[in-house]
Amino acid sequence: MQLFELSAPCHFGTEAVLKKEIYDLGYDILKVEDGRVTFQGDAEAICRSNVFLRTTERILLNVGTFHAETFEELFQGIKNLPWEDYIPLDGKFWVTKATSIKSKLFSTSDIQSIAKKAMVERMKTVYHSRWFEETGSAYPVRIFLMKDEVTVTIDTSGDSLHKRGYRIYSAKAPITETLAAALLMLTPWRKDRILVDPFCGSGTFPIEAAMMAADIAPGVNRDFLAMSWNNLIDRRLWRDAREEALDLENRNVITDIQGYDLDGEVVKSARENARLAGVDHLIHFQKRPVSELSHPKKYGFIITNPPYGERLEEKKDLPPIYGDFCRQFKQLEDWSAYVITNYDGLEKQMGRKADKVRKIYNGMMKTTFYQFMGPKPPKRKRPQGEEISE
């Protein structure tokens, strides 16, 4: 059994939940860095991690790591890597992305060009060929430089894993599916608890929550680039991973998940996205302003991504929007609220400090995940006398 070193990039600030996800899949964690978790696994792990992981952007196969401060060192380092172990003679290979942070080599276009030339030189020597048709499967390479340490990877996912296949309709400022899943996992919410998103937009939070509740794997309905890598991964392993995911599904689970938005057209889009995800029967979407936020039961969760006011003219609208939200939340007895935003007036309008705050990057935007925690529900008795939580 061939073991690979695999890396899973994620949103900065969500490494802990991704680490737990990988561990729960049964794989050994090798390293946790800012925005990345590295682990070890076989060909089956490539399939299962693409299908099951909710909080990573993609699964990368690590080819090698070396130190480089000059382009000559970069060229030789790339050339010395065993590309023939991964890319067949007819494989299509190119450097799709290079990233450089705090390194002497900073021109990403030059890094990409030199790396491609070095790969070709290696392949010429190994395959005894001077020309490569590149008509076969695709092997896109991603290179990361951090403090002159070069990490070279091949992307197994293709389209980013946040593209579950259900979000055809998008709101103005959507949160990605991977980040929504990570934020849900950072809360104590579970499928038997109430969840409301009063700024639901295209429905990402409610849909991701419903998929978790029904144990629907995020990648079960999409394809991945490495599915054509017959030289490395038996096609049967992809089929097995998908069948495993389908066997775990429970679409008959009982939930109380709700999403509200002021815009009726946006609500229609959220409903359609939920239908495409197969969870429309688990979510109640409604056109409702945040000023009418309410729920008859106690001990619920609000998990939401309110407007940020990215443009200057929109910022004046934020205080009344957040004021309505905070006023209505205070009327929800024993509820908890988890809010991701870059609006710095939330705690003032809430009239209390958040119990926890976590810095999260939403794309390139630095935001804060505010956690206002309510009390735990009381325990109730089972018929046999065993106590369980509500």
Side-chain angles (χ1 to χ4, degrees):
M1 178 180 64
Q2 183 178 6
L3 289 178
F4 303 103
E5 185 176 287
L6 305 170
S7 61
C10 62
H11 288 268
F12 286 96
T14 66
E15 297 84 2
V17 290
L18 175 55
K19 176 184 175 182
K20 184 178 186 303
E21 273 201 286
I22 295 170
Y23 182 79
D24 288 346
L25 270 185
Y27 302 117
D28 293 331
I29 306 295
L30 300 178
K31 185 165 50 175
V32 179
E33 307 166 273
D34 287 345
R36 183 178 302 271
V37 178
T38 303
F39 63 104
Q40 188 177 62
D42 55 10
E44 182 185 66
I46 295 175
C47 306
R48 295 182 71 239
S49 56
N50 271 296
V51 170
F52 284 98
L53 293 180
R54 299 182 188 277
T55 63
T56 184
E57 297 302 308
R58 57 186 70 247
I59 301 300
L60 304 172
L61 191 162
N62 291 359
V63 179
T65 302
F66 56 89
H67 187 87
E69 298 182 23
T70 67
F71 284 121
E72 178 61 23
E73 290 175 338
L74 176 68
F75 182 91
Q76 294 300 330
I78 296 289
K79 185 179 176 183
N80 288 334
L81 295 176
W83 292 106
E84 66 278 6
D85 290 350
Y86 306 100
I87 303 175
L89 177 61
D90 67 344
K92 180 181 179 181
F93 57 98
W94 74 102
V95 182
T96 184
K97 186 174 182 180
T99 304
S100 178
I101 301 172
K102 298 179 181 178
S103 299
K104 292 181 176 64
L105 301 179
F106 57 85
S107 171
T108 55
S109 60
D110 288 336
I111 292 168
Q112 289 173 282
S113 176
I114 289 169
K116 170 73 175 188
K117 291 176 182 176
M119 292 172 67
V120 170
E121 288 304 309
R122 172 77 182 206
M123 304 279 273
K124 281 182 180 179
T125 302
V126 173
Y127 288 120
H128 307 290
S129 175
R130 300 197 60 80
W131 179 256
F132 298 95
E133 294 290 343
E134 299 192 44
T135 56
S137 300
Y139 298 80
V141 173
R142 289 174 175 254
I143 298 177
F144 305 88
L145 282 79
M146 170 62 78
K147 296 180 180 178
D148 301 320
E149 290 298 310
V150 184
T151 301
V152 185
T153 70
I154 305 176
D155 180 18
T156 75
S157 303
D159 287 339
S160 173
L161 295 180
H162 81 265
K163 296 183 178 181
R164 320 288 206 211
Y166 68 74
R167 195 164 72 180
I168 306 300
Y169 302 95
S170 184
K172 181 179 177 182
I175 192 169
T176 67
E177 293 86 335
T178 47
L179 180 55
L183 296 178
L184 284 162
M185 292 180 185
L186 284 170
T187 77
W189 177 81
R190 297 295 179 266
K191 60 187 175 184
D192 60 343
R193 304 286 296 276
I194 303 162
L195 188 149
V196 174
D197 181 357
F199 301 98
C200 73
S202 54
T204 310
F205 271 128
I207 292 170
E208 288 294 315
M211 290 178 69
M212 290 180 192
D215 290 318
I216 299 173
V220 71
N221 293 318
R222 56 159 285 177
D223 290 332
F224 309 96
L225 185 145
M227 293 177 77
S228 64
W229 292 5
N230 297 326
N231 61 316
L232 291 177
I233 306 173
D234 191 318
R235 186 82 179 184
R236 171 183 55 82
L237 296 177
W238 291 104
R239 185 176 65 250
D240 290 348
R242 186 158 286 163
E243 288 178 357
E244 178 188 358
L246 292 172
D247 287 343
L248 292 172
E249 289 183 5
N250 176 19
R251 294 177 185 251
N252 295 321
V253 65
I254 304 299
T255 63
D256 189 344
I257 300 173
Q258 303 182 26
Y260 310 144
D261 202 279
L262 181 62
D263 188 328
E265 291 303 310
V266 167
V267 172
K268 288 181 183 178
S269 297
R271 288 196 185 108
E272 179 60 14
N273 289 338
R275 185 190 68 79
L276 293 170
V279 294
D280 51 317
H281 63 297
L282 300 177
I283 308 169
H284 173 68
F285 286 110
Q286 184 178 359
K287 178 184 176 183
R288 182 190 291 194
V290 70
S291 59
E292 296 178 11
L293 171 63
S294 64
H295 197 286
K297 295 183 180 179
K298 299 168 67 172
Y299 306 110
F301 286 78
I302 291 173
I303 304 177
T304 192
N305 175 44
Y308 294 178
E310 288 98 322
R311 294 199 297 267
L312 186 63
E313 63 269 21
E314 295 174 332
K315 291 190 180 297
K316 68 179 186 306
D317 298 327
L318 295 185
I321 292 174
Y322 281 81
D324 285 343
F325 167 70
C326 294
R327 184 167 49 254
Q328 295 304 116
F329 171 68
K330 292 172 187 177
Q331 297 178 29
L332 291 169
E333 189 177 354
D334 297 326
W335 276 53
S336 301
Y338 297 82
V339 184
I340 180 171
T341 182
N342 69 352
Y343 176 65
D344 58 10
L346 177 61
E347 289 178 309
K348 182 178 179 180
Q349 290 193 288
M350 192 68 80
R352 58 182 273 203
K353 287 284 188 183
D355 297 288
K356 289 184 181 179
V357 295
R358 182 185 288 261
K359 297 301 179 184
I360 301 283
Y361 275 88
N362 185 0
M364 298 303 294
M365 183 180 295
K366 189 175 183 180
T367 63
T368 302
F369 190 44
Y370 294 95
Q371 304 174 53
F372 301 93
M373 300 177 186
K376 293 181 180 179
K379 293 189 175 183
R380 56 188 173 88
K381 299 282 187 178
R382 289 188 188 273
Q384 298 84 358
E386 180 185 353
E387 289 187 339
I388 59 172
S389 295
E390 287 281 349

